[in-house]
Amino acid sequence: LFLPGGEKLLHMLEGLKKKGVIKKIGVSLYSSEQIDFLLDNYSIDLVQLPVNILDQRLIKNGRLDKLKKYNVEIHARSAFLQGLLLMPLDDIPSWFDPIKSVLKVFHKEAKERNMSILELALGFVQSIHEIDKVVVGVNSLDQFKNIIDASSINVNIDELSHLSVSDSRFLNPSNWRI
């Protein structure tokens, strides 16, 4: 959709939606600029985008709220930031040393709240009122069960704004040098 001719693709998808072949048209997004372009040029039912306790950019800059004003369903991905948030501190690669202090505070917050780091990470994302669904990946049945058990946890996201990281090198796994 972001390339020349993208409107033709959307027109095709809209035709399939009118025929009942598909129910919703969705797009996977990465940035505020993509959200703005999308909302300025297309009508979309659903977006999937990265949101987690470290990556609060779309909350802080109002893009989640803007999507909701356009009645767009929001699915959050990267709730665990490719597993980084669930790693024991000692196992985190040295490349993340510039944000290690934030990760330590995240672990401390979970402990002080009598929660696991999984519960705090998932609880944060599902407590964002603009988020409709949270997409997660699992490696085992035990992980899946832990996620299901944690799926009812809610937290006050405003109390966790101090865990926000602004450096995209650490928020976008495609930038990671590990």
Side-chain angles (χ1 to χ4, degrees):
L1 292 178
F2 300 106
L3 299 174
E7 66 281 350
K8 292 177 187 174
L9 175 61
L10 187 67
H11 184 69
M12 254 182 45
L13 291 171
E14 287 170 340
L16 292 172
K17 186 176 169 184
K18 284 180 185 171
K19 290 178 183 176
V21 175
I22 59 174
K23 290 182 181 179
K24 297 178 184 179
I25 299 171
V27 179
S28 182
L29 302 174
Y30 297 87
S31 69
S32 298
E33 295 77 22
Q34 288 180 331
I35 292 170
D36 292 340
F37 178 84
L38 184 80
L39 294 176
D40 289 344
N41 294 285
Y42 302 113
S43 178
I44 296 291
D45 302 307
L46 157 77
V47 296
Q48 184 186 94
L49 37 77
V51 180
N52 57 68
I53 202 163
L54 296 187
D55 188 354
Q56 301 181 29
R57 296 173 294 176
L58 299 175
I59 301 167
K60 291 184 175 196
N61 66 23
R63 291 314 190 286
L64 295 182
D65 189 49
K66 184 176 181 180
L67 285 163
K68 279 296 156 196
K69 286 180 179 158
Y70 281 79
N71 295 314
V72 176
E73 184 175 333
I74 302 173
H75 293 197
R77 67 171 184 274
S78 296
F80 306 129
L81 196 52
Q82 296 295 109
L84 176 67
L85 294 173
L86 304 182
M87 292 177 78
L89 288 170
D90 292 339
D91 294 348
I92 295 173
S94 62
W95 189 82
F96 293 100
D97 283 353
I99 63 164
K100 193 89 171 239
S101 62
V102 177
L103 291 166
K104 286 179 182 177
V105 172
F106 164 65
H107 281 250
K108 183 180 175 198
E109 281 283 347
K111 189 172 189 171
E112 288 175 355
R113 293 166 182 264
N114 200 28
M115 304 170 104
S116 70
I117 53 177
L118 181 145
E119 289 171 331
L120 183 56
L122 186 58
F124 176 84
V125 176
Q126 60 191 21
S127 297
I128 302 166
H129 73 273
E130 294 91 352
I131 302 291
D132 297 294
K133 306 281 184 196
V134 181
V135 179
V136 297
V138 297
N139 293 324
S140 69
L141 183 58
D142 282 342
Q143 280 183 353
F144 184 66
K145 288 176 182 176
N146 289 337
I147 289 168
I148 296 297
D149 290 344
S151 65
S152 62
I153 292 178
N154 287 299
V155 298
N156 181 336
I157 65 168
D158 294 330
E159 293 175 356
L160 299 164
S161 63
H162 64 286
L163 295 172
S164 178
V165 170
S166 58
D167 191 332
S168 64
R169 289 179 303 159
F170 304 108
L171 301 176
N172 183 344
S174 68
N175 295 332
W176 292 359
R177 303 289 174 249
I178 54 172

